[in-house]
Amino acid sequence: MFFDVEKLRPTGGVKWDDKLFDEARTADVLIVLLQPATATSDWVQREVDTARGANVSILPIRVTQNVQIKKALEKLAISNLQFLPFDSSNPDYSAIVGSIESLAQETRRKQKEWWENLKDSRKIKRPDSSYPKRLSFKHPEVDGVQIHIAHGDMTEMGAIDVLVNTENIYMQMARVFESDTLSSRLRYQGSLISDDADYVEEDAVQKQLDEIIEASPGLKRPVPLMSVIATRAGHPNSRLQRKNTGGKISGARYIFHVASVDVSHQRDKLIPVSSDDEVRACVTKALEKVIKVDKARGVISPPECTSYEEEKTARRGYKPIESIIFPLFGAGRGGRSATVVIPPMVDGIWRFLRDKGDHHLKDIYLCIYSETDVKAAEQAFLKKKF
């Protein structure tokens, strides 16, 4: 057993918060003692989120009798878990011990499944072809909007207005010849490419991203986690903007760069958003960015940027954003299983459509790179009764 109040003693060279999170990640079961004050503790929430991200089972126990713990359950997002009551005046440990034993087995099962999925994800090869509408759903409360499961490479989908990019907090896109990631593909496909030698003549996406950060008041690197910066989809003659779909040139218009990956002080360690709330926030903020870009009629750059005057001139013919496509935040090379990431992403889309009506969206896509994860996405949508 690890008790934070007993085991966290000042030790030379050891950070107590690192020790706390390590214990939460490696536990068989995380026991949360519920009382009214639990709802106000940020540390308890961090511990619970850490355990959840590591697929550690959580056992809530109410230790204060005859009080409401609803707020604590809601804050920790564990309202769906059955808590155990405990009466110190007449203690019965059998139910607790039995729950610990069964939940420890559940933790090992979930972690084994996660590990197998992670190993499979490392073997994933680029899909032979891409399908923007593999499966489609309608929101039960919102007319005129369809949600699609796309399968394959986002950069090959064709006529979708906004491509969402998972980026680090320094907004430094992956170099085009060093890795095969979404960031590197968007950077390459959005560049002006020489026809004869196939090399990058102008790195248009990163260039505009740098200009916007430098010219925006109060914005500097590293940007806040879960923030969103919009750029155009590269050079006007880039492959990304001029995708040929069915004989028609109608490519992407914007890239929304979501700061969904933190960078540790070690510089060699990338930490993607991990909690359900963070994943949901990334989705919500990207969708809210659609509304902001529409209200600005496509003017996404500060006046100091080279693209500002062009964007300002183009306002007259601006067409509202009607489609957006998301990758899976924190999955794949981020290390999290798609089965863990997909439900909060679907929930974020569902809540936005339910609560926000001031948009022109007609199609929202969730891009699944791996064939094995398509089924998980379908189940998540069906649970929301799309």
Side-chain angles (χ1 to χ4, degrees), residues 161-162 253-254 256 287-300 315 318-323 352 358-361:
D161 290 333
V162 177
R253 296 165 57 194
Y254 300 102
F256 285 4
L287 291 169
E288 289 175 344
K289 193 72 171 181
V290 170
I291 299 174
K292 292 178 182 179
V293 173
D294 278 347
K295 287 182 177 179
R297 298 189 64 80
V299 179
I300 58 175
R315 283 188 302 182
Y318 178 77
K319 180 183 177 183
I321 294 171
E322 295 182 349
S323 56
F352 174 84
D358 51 345
H359 61 81
H360 302 272
L361 287 167

Side-chain angles (χ1 to χ4, degrees), residues 31-43:
I31 299 176
V32 183
L33 304 182
L34 298 171
Q35 53 186 331
T38 309
T40 63
S41 172
D42 290 334
W43 278 108

Side-chain angles (χ1 to χ4, degrees), residues 16-126:
W16 67 268
D17 50 346
D18 288 345
K19 174 66 173 175
L20 189 63
F21 292 138
D22 284 342
E23 291 291 341
R25 276 190 290 265
T26 57
D28 290 322
V29 180
L30 181 74
I31 299 176
V32 183
L33 304 182
L34 298 171
Q35 53 186 331
T38 309
T40 63
S41 172
D42 290 334
W43 278 108
V44 173
Q45 183 169 18
R46 290 171 189 156
E47 294 165 27
V48 170
D49 285 341
T50 299
R52 183 183 289 114
N55 287 302
V56 173
S57 299
I58 299 169
L59 176 59
I61 299 179
R62 188 183 68 186
V63 294
T64 305
Q65 300 300 311
N66 302 320
V67 296
Q68 288 293 323
I69 55 172
K70 182 179 179 181
K71 289 184 178 179
L73 293 171
E74 291 176 347
K75 178 181 176 65
L76 303 177
I78 56 175
S79 301
N80 60 322
L81 300 181
Q82 180 65 46
F83 69 86
L84 294 179
F86 181 74
D87 185 358
S88 58
S89 63
N90 185 25
D92 177 14
Y93 298 100
S94 59
I96 295 176
V97 172
S99 295
I100 291 173
E101 291 175 344
S102 61
L103 287 173
Q105 294 179 11
E106 179 68 9
T107 295
R108 297 185 187 103
R109 183 194 66 78
K110 289 190 297 185
Q111 290 180 338
K112 181 180 179 181
E113 180 181 312
W114 175 86
W115 178 244
E116 293 299 326
N117 288 334
L118 178 61
K119 289 194 296 183
D120 289 341
S121 71
R122 300 298 188 190
K123 301 175 184 176
I124 294 172
K125 296 181 180 179
R126 180 176 293 214

Side-chain angles (χ1 to χ4, degrees), residues 39 82 90 96 100 125 130 228 257 264 295 300 308 325 339 345 348:
Q82 180 65 46
N90 185 25
I96 295 176
I100 291 173
K125 296 181 180 179
S130 299
V228 183
H257 307 265
S264 73
K295 287 182 177 179
I300 58 175
Y308 174 75
I325 185 167
T339 56
M345 292 198 67

